[in-house]
Amino acid sequence: MLVPLLGTLMLISLATAAASIVTVALMVNNRPLPLPRVCAVLVLLFGSSAAVAYCYGWFSVTLGGPFPALCEDRNASGADLTRTAQEYWPLRSACVYSDGAVVEHISMSINLLVYLLAGIAIVLAIAGAVRHRLTPSTSEGSLGKR
């Protein structure tokens, strides 16, 4: 049930990221740039990119990904591999051996990319909100002068 849902989320996020790139390109061609709006579009870009990176990692773990190749048939003490356990957040896989030993593998590159993109989106959202609050509204100023 989660595969179609995350597949849809990934497609929507890819479309949003592409639309955000086109919007930023169009905004750069038109001067002056309203900084809060640029921040809002960049928040969409980085937030949707974080969603795409997470969905990619989730599919990687769900479909067997790179993790099972990291598990050895026997550990250092000679115990056989009994199973692999996978968790989706953070994206990790564990090799469970017959003697109870567990070796975890975490996809740091995907997790770091998701955290970095989401963090940039949060910082831009805060910066855009602060800049929007500090910018005087032109419509309110013109109403007061009439």
Side-chain angles (χ1 to χ4, degrees), residues 86-102:
Q86 296 176 336
E87 293 181 15
Y88 301 109
W89 190 259
L91 300 170
R92 71 174 64 202
S93 179
C95 307
V96 181
Y97 293 96
S98 60
D99 64 351
V102 177

Side-chain angles (χ1 to χ4, degrees), residues 44-74:
L44 279 176
L45 174 65
F46 286 110
S48 60
S49 297
V52 168
Y54 176 74
C55 289
Y56 168 76
W58 190 89
F59 279 118
S60 177
V61 169
T62 302
L63 299 175
F67 300 124
L70 297 174
C71 294
E72 298 177 9
D73 292 336
R74 293 182 179 271

Side-chain angles (χ1 to χ4, degrees), residues 3-15 48 51-52 54-55:
V3 173
L5 179 67
L6 280 174
T8 304
L9 176 65
M10 188 171 181
L11 290 176
I12 290 171
S13 297
L14 277 171
S48 60
V52 168
Y54 176 74
C55 289

Side-chain angles (χ1 to χ4, degrees), residues 27 33-41 124 127-129 131-133 135:
M27 289 177 85
L33 291 175
L35 190 60
R37 290 183 184 169
V38 172
C39 284
V41 174
L124 284 170
R131 181 69 178 151
H132 179 70
R133 300 256 315 162
T135 305

Side-chain angles (χ1 to χ4, degrees), residues 107-118:
S107 175
M108 289 305 294
S109 60
I110 294 173
N111 282 340
L112 182 65
L113 182 63
V114 170
Y115 288 144
L116 182 67
L117 292 172

Side-chain angles (χ1 to χ4, degrees), residues 15-29 41 45:
T16 304
S20 299
I21 291 170
V22 170
T23 304
V24 167
L26 291 174
M27 289 177 85
V28 169
N29 289 335
V41 174
L45 174 65

